[in-house]
């Protein structure tokens, strides 16, 4: 297999190619959605890079799988599977179910949530909160794309559930780092 080239020069005029050869502007909504998914993946990667030691193992393992799945989300958006050629989506309801199982497993080790949580605490948790907000943006963009053209609805369910997972993973990261949740102080005046 030949090594991939980093530059192709094909996008120098502001367009990019989808898998089946269709050229679209780089600011097309589809490109904006999968670019935002890529941005979220980078934030998850930053959080994982900060998770040193065995206390973070359970969260880190889930997030490494999620990073691969986010790559699949981007691929399914950038190159929608051609069912006429026998291709199937990479992200399915089983992917959503796996996120729900991860949420339940991580949440089982956390104190019950009784208040709103501020995004912060440890560095890995803060990075996960940033990733969560980027996933929410990707979700909003995906809804807009779905109003214009067909998109597999499993992708929307996946992103919706992923933002929930990232919230719980941030709480778990704070716990692993020896921090508690950073709670909203409703009595604090500005």
């Amino acid at each position: 297999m030949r090594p991939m080239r980093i530059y192709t020069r094909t996008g120098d005029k502001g367009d990019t190619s989808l898998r089946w050869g269709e050229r679209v502007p780089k600011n097309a909504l589809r490109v904006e959605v999968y670019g935002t998914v890529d941005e979220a993946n980078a934030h998850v990667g930053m959080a994982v890079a900060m998770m040193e030691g065995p206390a973070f193992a359970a969260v880190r393992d889930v997030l490494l799988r999620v990073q691969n799945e986010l790559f699949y989300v981007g691929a399914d958006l950038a190159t929608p599977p051609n069912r006429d050629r026998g291709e199937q989506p990479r992200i399915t309801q089983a992917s959503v179910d796996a996120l729900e199982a991860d949420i339940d497993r991580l949440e089982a080790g956390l104190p019950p949530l009784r208040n709103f949580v501020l995004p912060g605490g440890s560095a890995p948790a803060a990075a996960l909160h940033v990733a969560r907000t980027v996933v929410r943006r990707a979700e909003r963009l995906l809804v807009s794309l779905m109003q214009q053209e067909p998109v597999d609805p499993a992708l929307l369910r996946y992103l919706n559930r992923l933002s929930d997972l990232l919230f719980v993973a941030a709480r778990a990261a704070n716990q692993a780092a020896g921090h508690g949740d950073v709670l909203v102080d409703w009595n604090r005046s500005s």
Side-chain angles (χ1 to χ4, degrees), residues 32 36-37 48 59 95 106-107 113 119 127 142 148-149 160 174 176:
E32 189 66 34
T36 305
V37 168
V48 169
V59 179
S95 309
L106 290 175
E107 206 165 33
L113 190 59
L142 183 56
Q148 296 178 10
E149 52 188 281
N160 187 27
N174 269 338

Side-chain angles (χ1 to χ4, degrees), residues 8-28 30-31 34 78:
T8 63
R9 298 185 179 115
T10 60
D12 289 352
K13 293 184 180 174
D15 61 350
T16 190
S17 181
L18 300 180
R19 180 175 179 193
W20 304 111
E22 178 187 0
R23 301 290 298 177
V24 297
K26 287 188 176 186
N27 66 348
R30 180 175 291 278
V31 178
Y34 70 72

Side-chain angles (χ1 to χ4, degrees), residues 108-152:
L110 297 172
L113 190 59
R114 302 196 193 295
N115 200 344
F116 288 97
V117 174
L118 292 174
S122 66
L128 288 171
H129 280 295
V130 172
R132 175 184 55 77
T133 64
V134 174
V135 168
R136 285 290 189 204
R137 179 164 27 99
E139 184 182 6
R140 292 188 302 271
L141 290 167
L142 183 56
V143 168
S144 295
L145 180 63
M146 293 172 86
Q147 292 169 346
Q148 296 178 10
E149 52 188 281
V151 176
D152 189 332

